[in-house]
């Protein structure tokens, strides 16, 4: 997985620059859920986005496809996909990109699958939506992709309705749907959170296998740092709508340069014989509508200094490919 | 389990089962029996934290609530402090409630949105006002004491639950549980709905309170690492049955049951050097309506043998506080020689 | 509640409803005449047109109308013609019939009227009674019946619904089958047969309560079903289980944990069901099975408008229908908005 040194600028497939996505619900002041995200995704790469609930990780992903929840709007920024700015594209071109070049896997497969249509139809429809003249092949392709994602007896399963499948199977169907058009980017938004541990392991294995046979890049969004460390090449850590650290997986884990990442790593319970008091991050995750000034993490940070509460941080490249938004990273 | 004296046990269950009836079909014609919990024998010593681990739908929540008599068991007996509490009701049951409490998974649905925090914490105290000889002033005092112990600020008492974040709400839920000074608390996945950075705070709090109030916990969770870190002893549950019992120090070192091994191997590990070889189970947990015959785990087990399909394995002692229900470890079984090992690995 | 009041149209409908209820409460003040006062000679008199300009186009600050003269046309139908030579000023706060305001204060003050002639802004009916006055008095029955009926259904429904939902099993079975039995019959048929079981000649007051009883008897079933469903899901909520674990008694759990959480939805349901009661009363009364002469209700007033030939000749007898329409519309609208607000809250 050490492709880091090979990464060149012409390998970039997706580039997000200074993305701001706000919620304009009822008050005059928008809730700044995503505030200045920069992200680069290379070809054939797995990028993990890690953060707690409400940190804006899902919203960032949804901004890429412009499928935002009601009230949310992209206020600023640009998203370049193969050189095209998605935010300025016409609806027709956007529909071409959605599902064909960039596809998405969601957390709750049961709520994203239509309960009154067979899973086979739903998957093949994703194909025929982009290749309307190829209806003959759609069924064949569906069966093939079902086989690939490890659904046993695919020719029978395509006739099943979502409720007849288990949670793990449904997530495989979602994966098949995302994969059928061989997209350039797959965005997986917490694909294993609603699954059991043993099924989660199956899905992770599936992702790893798929990486071998497909040329897609994957954005893997999760709150589970250990989980994403198994699959991602690079990890981006988000906190309160901003990215705080970005580095190749190994480096991020062995040498975190942001206090938040460090405390996240430390709060994983170690395997010990006896009870050990766990290291914690004091305080609460800030409400997106009442973010602290300066560095959003400073009220909970043990390294915080005076300037942290006033100066807004920005990403600094400390080592090649390793960015942090902490001014005092040398103290960590 | 004969080596455990009854007097040391705070909670002991004797073959408890809970079956639910489920009517399906257009005319409610089909009756299905959900065997959520079947023939379970567990015990919890005084001052002990016992972990209960299993995947969703394995019946761990049902078991926890059955022990608390929030659900009535179909069969079997429950003992609390040596007394059989299986069929008590009315006043006696109410009296028992003072000693047994529960902490829930979802900090959002477990607090009444219309009550102030003070009222939520004091609910139990109001119920037992006469028995405990409390007046409003002493209740207020206890509430502010609990707020302090659970790490909430004093002005929290006049606020409503929706004014708090998930972690703080879980603290309120914990405060409610300890308000009556119980002996035993069922923690039903108290951390799984919380953010990563909050989990360790709450886990530390639970452990502190345990020491201070001399509590016993039944800690229900699907997270092996968290359970192992807080528990003394762990039960592994699969499809309504206990398949292994072991001291928590042994969990990652020396598990016996193939299911336990698979569970442990599935835990994501951040340190790539420590990563275990994945044992990938096939398929999902079967529905508790149609539990496979014999050992319920055999359709997914990589080491399943012929006998596993027909006969239920016995629960055998394999070490200090270490029990397992698996034919692989049943040396006395003469039938073992007759079957060929169909292990796939 | 903030988002509820933000919408300006809500104010409009709230204003309409409040005005209508004020109209009902102070009916004798707003109505120029007593509802039963007959102007024997002015049968089906056209509504008097209020004017500000006289025939020369000169503006007058005081509104006036022309006296209507009764004549007959060539086919000997009675018609009314405005006598332009006789303008009559409309006066405000005039003295008229005496009445007791709110049943206490004896007064003879009316909002408007004229000493010189009778004012019938909405015309008169077949017996020469002022339709506007009758609408004012009729509002009392029609508007209160909705509130009282819905309230009784609400109480019955919430009691039976919560008991059925909370205790389940046999209790639930019995109550729910009872509800279904009530629902099984077509509502109108049930209303008629219940009405038939009661002696035809009763006083207006008695009749009023009979109608309320009939409609609440039918209405509670729907309410109970809704509440039962909510209780079924609420009792699975962890905070209810927590209350149980805390040793709270059943009655306390139902009253303090479950019912308050159904309340917002129940109130919405009641608001939406009020028009049903108003329409129910109107239907019964229009068919002559409800409030009967000399009692007045909007439905009873509409009974005059049953024949199409009458409506063609005297369209103003449809005015009570407009008031029913306005009330039902306002209630439906408010109910919808309340539901949106309640939904948003639970989400």
């Amino acid at each position: 997985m050490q492709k880091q040194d090979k990464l060149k600028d012409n390998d970039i497939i997706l580039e997000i620059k200074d993305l701001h996505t706000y919620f304009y619900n009822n008050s005059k002041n928008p809730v700044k859920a995503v505030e200045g995200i920069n992200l680069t995704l290379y070809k054939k790469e797995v990028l993990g986005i890690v953060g707690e609930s409400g940190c804006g990780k899902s919203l960032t992903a949804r901004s890429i496809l412009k499928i935002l929840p009601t009230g949310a709007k992209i206020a600023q920024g640009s998203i370049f996909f193969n050189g095209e700015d998605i935010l300025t594209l016409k609806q027709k071109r956007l529909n071409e990109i959605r599902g064909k070049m960039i596809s998405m896997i969601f957390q709750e497969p049961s709520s994203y699958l239509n309960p009154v249509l067979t899973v086979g139809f739903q998957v093949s429809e994703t194909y025929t939506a982009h290749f309307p003249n190829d209806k003959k092949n759609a069924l064949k392709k569906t069966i093939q992709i079902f086989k690939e994602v490890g659904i046993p007896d695919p020719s029978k399963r395509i006739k099943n309705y979502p409720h007849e499948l288990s949670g793990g199977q449904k997530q495989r169907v979602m994966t098949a749907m995302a994969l059928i058009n061989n997209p350039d980017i797959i965005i997986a938004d917490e694909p294993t959170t609603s699954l059991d541990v043993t099924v989660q392991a199956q899905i992770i294995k599936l992702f790893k296998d798929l990486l071998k046979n497909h040329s897609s890049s994957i954005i893997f969004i999760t709150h589970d740092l250990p989980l994403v460390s198994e699959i991602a090449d690079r990890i981006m850590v988000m906190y309160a709508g901003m990215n705080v650290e970005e580095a190749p997986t190994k480096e991020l884990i062995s040498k975190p340069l942001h206090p938040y990442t460090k405390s996240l790593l430390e709060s994983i319970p170690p395997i010990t014989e006896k009870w050990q008091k766990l290291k914690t991050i004091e305080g609460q995750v800030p409400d997106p509508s009442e973010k602290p000034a300066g560095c959003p993490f400073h009220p909970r940070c043990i390294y915080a200094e005076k300037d942290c509460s006033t100066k807004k941080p920005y990403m600094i490249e400390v080592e090649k490919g390793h960015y942090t938004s902490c001014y005092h990273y040398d103290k960590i | 389990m004969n080596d455990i004296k009854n007097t040391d046990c705070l909670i002991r269950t004797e073959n408890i089962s809970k079956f639910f009836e489920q009517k399906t079909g257009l005319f409610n014609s089909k009756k299905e029996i959900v065997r959520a919990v079947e023939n379970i024998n567990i015990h919890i010593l005084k001052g002990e934290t016992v972990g209960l681990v299993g995947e969703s739908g394995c019946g761990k929540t049902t078991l926890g609530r059955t022990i608390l008599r929030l659900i009535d068991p179909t069969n079997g007996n429950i003992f609390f402090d040596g007394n059989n509490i299986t069929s008590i009701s009315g006043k006696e049951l109410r009296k028992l409630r003072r000693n047994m409490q529960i902490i829930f998974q979802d900090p959002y649905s477990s607090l009444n949105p219309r009550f102030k925090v003070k009222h939520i914490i004091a609910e139990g105290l109001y119920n037992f006002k006469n028995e405990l000889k409390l007046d409003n002033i002493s209740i207020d005092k206890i509430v502010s004491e609990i707020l302090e112990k659970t790490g909430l600020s004093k002005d929290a008492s006049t606020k409503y639950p929706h004014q708090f974040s998930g972690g703080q709400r879980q603290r309120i839920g914990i405060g409610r549980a300890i308000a009556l000074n119980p002996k035993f608390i069922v923690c039903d996945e108290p951390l799984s709905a919380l953010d990563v950075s909050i989990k360790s705070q709450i886990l530390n709090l639970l452990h502190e309170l345990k020491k201070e109030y001399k509590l016993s916990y039944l800690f229900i969770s699907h997270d092996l690492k968290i359970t192992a870190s807080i528990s003394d002893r762990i039960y592994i549950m699969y499809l309504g049955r206990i398949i292994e019992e072991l001291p928590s120090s042994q969990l990652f070192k020396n598990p016996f049951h193939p299911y336990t091994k698979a569970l442990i191997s599935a835990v994501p590990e951040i340190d790539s050097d420590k990563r275990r070889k994945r044992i990938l189970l096939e398929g999902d947990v079967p529905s508790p309506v149609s539990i496979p015959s014999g050992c319920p785990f055999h359709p997914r087990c990589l080491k399943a043998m012929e006998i596993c399909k027909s006969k239920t394995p016995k629960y055998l002692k394999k070490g200090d506080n270490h029990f397992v229900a698996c034919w692989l470890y049943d040396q006395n079984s003469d039938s073992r020689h007759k079957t060929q090992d169909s292990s796939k690995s | 509640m903030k988002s509820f009041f933000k919408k300006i149209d809500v104010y409009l409908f709230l204003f309409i409803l409040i005005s209508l209820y004020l109209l009902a409460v102070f009916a004798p003040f707003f109505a120029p005449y007593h509802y039963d006062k007959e102007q024997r000679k002015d049968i089906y008199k056209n509504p008097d047109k209020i004017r500000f300009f006289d025939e020369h186009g000169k503006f007058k600050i005081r509104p006036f109308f022309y006296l209507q003269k009764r004549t007959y046309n060539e086919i000997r139908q009675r018609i009314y013609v405005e006598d332009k030579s006789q303008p009559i000023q409309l006066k405000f706060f005039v003295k008229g019939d005496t009445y007791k305001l709110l049943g206490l204060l004896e007064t003879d003050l009316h909002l408007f009227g004229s000493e010189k002639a009778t004012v019938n802004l909405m015309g008169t009916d077949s017996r020469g009674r002022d339709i506007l006055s009758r609408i004012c008095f009729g509002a009392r029955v029609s508007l209160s019946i909705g509130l009282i009926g819905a309230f009784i259904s609400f109480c019955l429904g919430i009691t039976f619904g919560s008991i059925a939902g909370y205790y389940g099993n046999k209790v639930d079975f019995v109550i729910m089958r009872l509800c279904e039995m009530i629902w099984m019959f077509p509502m109108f048929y049930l209303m008629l047969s219940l009405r038939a079981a009661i002696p035809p000649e009763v006083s207006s007051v008695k009749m009023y309560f009979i109608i309320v009883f009939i409609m609440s008897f039918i209405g509670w079933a729907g309410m109970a079903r809704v509440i039962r469903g909510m209780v079924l899901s609420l009792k699975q909520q962890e905070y209810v289980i927590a209350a149980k674990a805390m040793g709270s008694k059943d009655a306390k759990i139902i009253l303090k944990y479950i019912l308050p959480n159904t309340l917002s939805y129940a109130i919405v349901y009641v608001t939406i069901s009020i028009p049903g009661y108003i329409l129910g009363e109107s239907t019964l009364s229009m068919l002559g099975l409800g409030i009967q002469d000399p009692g007045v209700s909007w439905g009873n007033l509409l009974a005059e408008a049953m024949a199409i030939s009458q409506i063609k000749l005297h369209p103003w007898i449809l005015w009570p229908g407009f008031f029913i329409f306005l009330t039902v519309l306002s209630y439906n609208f408010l109910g919808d908005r309340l539901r949106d607000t309640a939904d948003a809250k639970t989400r």
Side-chain angles (χ1 to χ4, degrees):
Chain A
M1 285 206 201
Q2 284 299 311
K3 312 187 250 190
Q4 201 54 45
D5 27 86
K6 286 189 291 180
L7 296 178
K8 277 177 235 143
D9 277 0
N10 55 358
D11 279 338
I12 292 176
I13 188 151
L14 184 84
E15 197 170 15
I16 299 180
K17 279 184 178 161
D18 197 30
L19 177 76
H20 290 250
T21 307
Y22 298 163
F23 277 102
Y24 297 89
N25 270 351
N26 36 32
S27 54
K28 285 157 221 148
N29 301 329
V31 175
K32 299 179 177 177
V34 172
E35 218 181 338
I37 289 287
N38 290 294
L39 178 154
T40 329
L41 183 70
Y42 297 92
K43 278 178 190 160
K44 283 210 84 174
E45 180 198 37
V46 182
L47 173 72
I49 300 183
V50 177
E52 294 173 281
S53 59
C55 76
K57 54 190 191 301
S58 289
L59 206 59
T60 308
R62 282 164 168 246
S63 300
I64 298 172
L65 282 178
K66 278 178 89 173
I67 37 172
L68 296 169
T70 34
K73 263 188 195 140
I74 296 169
Q76 193 184 324
S78 45
I79 299 171
F80 290 102
F81 168 67
N82 272 341
E84 284 175 288
D85 187 353
I86 287 180
L87 301 183
T88 58
L89 286 181
K90 292 226 168 79
Q91 192 63 36
K92 204 181 153 210
R93 175 74 185 139
L94 195 63
N95 284 343
E96 267 172 37
I97 289 177
R98 283 182 189 160
K100 189 178 172 192
M101 297 168 191
I102 304 177
S103 57
M104 200 152 174
I105 301 171
F106 297 95
Q107 176 178 354
E108 275 297 338
S110 31
S111 59
Y112 284 94
L113 288 172
N114 188 338
V116 295
L117 298 173
T118 62
V119 290
F121 179 80
Q122 293 184 56
V123 173
S124 65
E125 206 189 22
T126 329
Y127 180 72
T128 49
H130 295 283
F131 302 96
N133 303 324
D134 199 17
K135 286 202 171 122
K136 274 184 204 158
N137 270 327
L139 193 70
K140 225 164 81 190
K141 266 213 103 129
T142 308
I143 293 174
Q144 190 194 324
I145 203 89
F146 267 42
K147 215 179 273 171
E148 204 175 332
V149 297
I151 297 174
D153 209 355
S155 46
K156 247 190 202 166
R157 282 290 158 264
I158 55 165
K159 288 175 196 144
N160 281 137
Y161 289 91
H163 70 93
E164 294 169 309
L165 302 177
S166 67
Q169 301 280 35
K170 274 187 242 175
Q171 198 51 284
R172 282 172 197 267
V173 171
M174 284 291 289
T175 313
M177 211 187 259
L179 218 60
I180 192 163
N181 291 325
N182 214 350
D184 297 324
I185 302 172
I186 298 171
I187 302 168
D189 188 359
E190 306 239 12
T192 61
T193 307
S194 62
L195 304 174
D196 278 320
V197 212
T198 54
V199 184
Q200 172 177 299
Q202 292 168 7
I203 299 286
I204 292 295
K205 174 87 179 4
L206 170 69
F207 269 80
K208 281 182 180 166
D209 291 345
L210 293 175
L211 281 171
K212 287 175 199 154
N213 309 327
H214 288 259
S215 58
S216 312
S217 307
I218 297 181
I219 297 179
F220 196 98
I221 300 165
T222 179
H223 63 271
D224 192 338
L225 193 51
L227 178 77
V228 77
S229 73
E230 290 195 1
I231 186 167
D233 301 312
R234 272 190 315 133
I235 292 178
M236 182 175 118
V237 182
M238 279 182 77
Y239 186 79
M242 303 185 195
N243 31 1
V244 294
E245 188 166 1
E246 190 186 324
T249 305
K250 262 204 167 161
E251 225 180 293
L252 186 103
I253 284 160
S254 55
K255 212 169 64 185
L257 285 177
H258 195 281
Y260 177 62
T261 320
K262 197 182 173 217
S263 7
L264 268 189
L265 287 165
E266 282 172 351
S267 61
I268 300 165
I271 298 169
T272 50
E273 295 267 316
K274 272 196 174 161
W275 164 256
Q276 259 184 8
K277 197 171 173 199
L278 298 172
K279 288 195 177 167
T280 60
I281 313 175
E282 287 311 316
Q284 310 291 331
V285 183
D287 191 316
S289 57
E290 295 162 15
K291 275 192 231 171
C295 171
F297 189 61
H298 84 263
R300 305 174 73 187
C301 182
I302 43 170
Y303 304 100
E305 292 198 5
K306 264 186 193 165
D307 54 343
C308 290
S309 57
T310 49
K311 266 204 290 181
K312 210 147 215 175
Y314 58 91
M315 295 292 265
I316 322 160
E317 187 166 16
V318 179
E319 273 162 56
K320 196 180 176 318
H322 195 153
Y323 299 85
T324 176
S325 74
C326 183
Y327 289 116
H328 307 287
Y329 66 85
D330 48 333
K331 283 203 290 183
I332 297 161
Chain B
M1 264 175 283
N2 299 328
D3 47 339
I4 293 145
K5 278 182 219 147
N6 249 343
T7 46
D8 298 335
C9 279
L10 186 66
I11 297 279
R12 193 163 60 84
T13 68
E14 221 176 61
N15 292 324
I16 54 168
S17 304
K18 176 66 194 178
F19 300 158
F20 295 100
E21 220 169 66
Q22 195 177 312
K23 285 178 185 166
T24 56
L26 185 57
F27 300 104
N28 277 353
S29 48
K30 281 188 229 157
K31 253 190 203 171
E32 283 174 340
I33 291 181
V34 182
R35 284 147 62 189
V37 163
E38 200 167 359
N39 283 336
I40 286 197
N41 293 296
I42 65 167
H43 65 274
I44 296 158
L45 302 179
K46 284 169 188 162
E48 191 183 28
T49 301
V50 171
L52 184 63
V53 176
E55 292 177 278
S56 61
C58 76
K60 49 192 196 300
T61 295
T62 310
L63 177 61
R65 292 189 183 175
T66 310
I67 291 172
L68 291 182
R69 284 290 320 274
L70 290 170
I71 301 174
D72 288 329
T74 314
N75 282 316
N77 289 307
I78 309 159
F79 296 90
F80 179 81
D81 226 352
N83 304 315
N84 192 336
I85 58 162
T86 325
S87 48
I88 59 166
S89 61
K91 269 192 183 164
E92 275 180 288
L93 184 60
R94 239 169 68 81
K95 224 167 132 189
L96 181 76
R97 300 263 183 242
R98 261 169 57 189
N99 292 319
M100 301 160 73
Q101 280 305 323
I102 180 165
I103 297 167
F104 293 94
Q105 168 179 3
D106 185 353
Y108 289 88
S109 75
S110 64
L111 305 179
N112 190 344
R114 287 172 193 272
F115 278 10
K116 282 180 182 158
V117 169
K118 179 193 151 191
H119 199 141
I120 291 172
I121 292 177
E123 172 71 7
L125 298 170
Y126 285 128
N127 288 339
F128 295 99
K129 213 171 163 181
N130 299 330
E131 286 95 327
L132 296 169
K133 297 194 177 65
L134 291 167
D135 52 24
N136 285 341
I137 301 163
S138 50
I139 286 178
D140 283 354
K141 226 174 111 191
I142 295 173
V143 170
S144 57
E145 211 173 282
I146 283 167
L147 285 176
E148 200 194 314
K149 290 241 165 75
T150 51
L152 292 159
S153 66
K154 273 211 173 121
D155 56 329
S157 68
T158 52
K159 288 185 186 164
Y160 286 95
H162 67 87
Q163 292 168 287
F164 294 92
S165 68
Q168 286 167 315
R169 285 168 147 253
Q170 199 57 297
R171 286 174 193 268
I172 299 169
I174 292 169
R176 169 176 63 190
I178 59 167
L180 278 170
N181 207 351
K183 291 179 182 153
F184 171 61
I185 297 180
V186 172
C187 307
D188 190 356
E189 304 237 16
L191 307 178
S192 51
L194 301 179
D195 272 320
V196 190
S197 71
I198 307 297
K199 275 183 185 169
S200 42
Q201 288 178 11
I202 300 293
L203 201 62
N204 283 344
L205 174 69
L206 283 172
H207 195 264
E208 276 160 30
L209 292 173
K210 183 198 160 182
K211 274 191 293 182
E212 191 169 341
Y213 288 84
K214 297 191 178 60
L215 292 162
S216 299
Y217 286 144
L218 178 65
F219 193 90
I220 301 172
S221 175
H222 63 266
D223 190 317
L224 289 161
K225 273 191 173 176
I226 287 175
T227 315
S229 71
I230 193 170
S231 306
D232 301 313
R233 209 151 42 81
I234 292 175
Y235 289 100
I236 313 285
M237 207 169 166
Y238 186 77
L239 273 183
R241 293 161 205 221
I242 301 287
I243 54 147
E244 188 165 1
E245 170 192 347
L246 72 179
S248 62
S249 55
Q250 296 290 308
L251 180 65
F252 285 93
K253 270 194 212 156
N254 197 15
F256 285 163
H257 201 285
Y259 178 63
T260 317
K261 285 180 180 168
L263 268 185
I264 287 166
S265 80
V267 175
E269 192 63 60
I270 197 136
D271 195 340
S272 51
D273 306 331
K274 279 192 197 159
R275 262 174 218 160
R276 291 161 287 265
K277 197 178 170 296
R278 277 273 147 86
I279 305 169
L280 275 183
L281 295 179
E282 276 171 29
D284 292 285
V285 185
S287 133
V289 176
S290 51
I291 293 178
S293 62
C295 170
F297 184 58
H298 82 259
R300 297 176 78 195
C301 184
L302 301 176
K303 296 195 170 156
M305 303 175 290
E306 210 45 52
I307 189 171
C308 303
K309 292 179 190 165
S310 52
K311 278 189 166 176
T312 313
K314 279 181 212 134
Y315 197 59
L316 294 171
K317 183 164 181 165
K318 283 285 150 196
D320 238 9
N321 277 328
H322 201 154
F323 296 80
V324 67
C326 177
W327 283 116
L328 288 173
Y329 300 92
D330 195 346
Q331 264 104 25
N332 300 331
S333 150
D334 45 350
S335 48
R336 201 185 160 190
H337 307 290
K338 287 182 215 158
T339 58
Q340 77 268 38
D341 195 326
S342 63
S343 144
K344 291 173 204 163
S345 56
Chain C
M1 284 313 256
K2 241 187 213 164
S3 50
F4 174 72
F5 281 116
K6 239 179 200 173
K7 312 276 161 60
I8 193 76
D9 39 359
V10 172
Y11 280 123
L12 177 70
F13 287 104
L14 212 56
F15 174 75
I16 292 175
L17 274 184
I18 291 171
S19 318
L20 284 171
Y21 275 95
L22 285 177
L23 191 74
V25 171
F26 299 105
F29 170 68
F30 288 111
Y33 309 104
H34 188 258
Y35 63 87
D36 216 20
K37 187 178 176 187
E38 295 177 11
Q39 302 153 223
R40 287 286 161 100
K41 287 173 189 165
D42 295 338
I43 288 166
Y44 286 130
K45 186 179 149 196
N46 292 3
D48 291 316
K49 279 183 194 143
I50 300 294
R51 291 161 197 270
F52 287 96
F53 296 93
D54 63 13
E55 52 195 313
H56 311 297
K58 238 173 104 186
F59 177 75
K60 304 230 166 152
I61 203 136
R62 277 185 178 266
F64 67 96
F65 58 93
Y66 293 114
L67 193 73
Q68 295 191 45
K69 267 190 165 172
R70 187 173 62 245
T71 54
Y72 293 89
N73 65 4
E74 56 276 14
I75 51 165
R76 294 209 48 83
Q77 269 178 337
R78 191 181 359 226
I79 52 168
Y80 289 89
V81 180
E82 284 185 332
D83 182 358
K84 301 267 160 118
S85 63
Q86 291 202 53
I88 294 166
Q89 274 185 353
L90 189 71
K91 289 198 172 146
F92 291 95
F93 301 106
V94 291
K95 289 190 176 180
D97 310 332
T98 50
Y99 59 92
K100 277 188 176 170
L101 194 67
L102 297 173
L104 297 168
L105 210 65
E106 193 157 318
T107 173
D108 54 0
L109 210 62
H110 291 260
L111 179 65
F112 63 88
S114 169
E115 287 109 354
K116 287 179 189 161
T118 53
V119 198
N120 306 109
L121 291 183
M122 291 180 183
T124 63
D125 68 359
S126 60
R127 284 161 70 184
R129 291 173 296 195
D130 181 37
I131 288 185
L132 177 63
S133 303
R134 288 174 72 74
I135 286 174
C136 290
F137 282 95
R140 293 181 150 184
V141 168
S142 293
L143 291 178
S144 63
I145 226 161
L147 283 186
I148 295 174
F151 178 73
I152 294 175
S153 296
F154 175 76
C155 296
L156 285 174
I158 217 164
T159 314
F160 285 109
S162 55
I163 288 172
Y166 190 76
Y167 289 102
N169 294 336
K170 279 179 193 158
V171 185
D172 183 33
F173 185 85
V174 172
I175 293 178
M176 280 306 110
R177 293 305 85 81
L178 190 67
C179 287
E180 273 154 25
M181 255 145 75
I182 291 171
W183 270 42
M184 208 159 60
F185 296 102
M187 169 147 172
F188 189 64
Y189 179 75
L190 193 63
M191 238 160 48
L192 288 187
S193 39
L194 279 171
R195 173 64 189 84
I198 292 157
E201 298 301 328
V202 288
S203 74
S204 282
V205 181
K206 249 190 189 168
M207 182 52 80
Y208 178 85
F209 285 107
I210 287 166
I211 294 171
V212 170
F213 166 77
I214 290 174
M215 286 193 301
S216 312
F217 180 78
I218 299 166
W220 74 269
M223 183 82 199
R225 261 194 112 83
V226 172
I227 296 294
R228 169 191 174 259
M230 291 189 76
V231 172
L232 272 183
S233 74
L234 278 170
K235 85 173 171 179
Q236 302 293 331
Q237 289 281 317
E238 289 181 337
Y239 63 82
V240 176
I241 297 169
K244 214 170 152 190
M246 219 65 64
S248 306
K249 287 172 182 154
D250 283 355
K252 188 177 181 185
I253 292 178
I254 294 182
L255 288 176
K256 289 206 145 177
Y257 283 80
I258 293 180
L259 284 188
N261 284 300
T262 65
L263 213 58
S264 61
Y265 194 82
I267 286 171
V268 172
Y269 187 88
V270 165
T271 315
I272 292 178
S273 73
I274 288 175
Y277 293 91
I278 295 175
L279 290 174
E281 180 274 327
S282 304
T283 317
L284 274 182
S285 301
M286 186 167 143
L287 292 173
L289 298 168
I291 306 289
Q292 282 162 344
D293 256 2
V296 272
S297 80
W298 290 346
N300 180 18
L301 292 180
L302 271 186
E304 293 229 352
M306 292 249 272
I308 197 85
S309 57
Q310 293 295 346
I311 299 174
K312 213 175 151 193
L313 284 172
H314 322 290
W316 55 89
I317 54 176
L318 276 177
W319 270 112
F322 172 75
F323 279 83
I324 294 174
F325 164 79
L326 206 61
T327 316
V328 171
L329 180 77
S330 306
Y331 267 119
N332 277 338
F333 191 87
L334 281 181
D336 263 8
R337 263 297 142 69
L338 271 174
R339 181 173 52 198
D340 291 349
T341 329
D343 280 358
K345 234 185 190 174
T346 49
R347 224 177 272 141

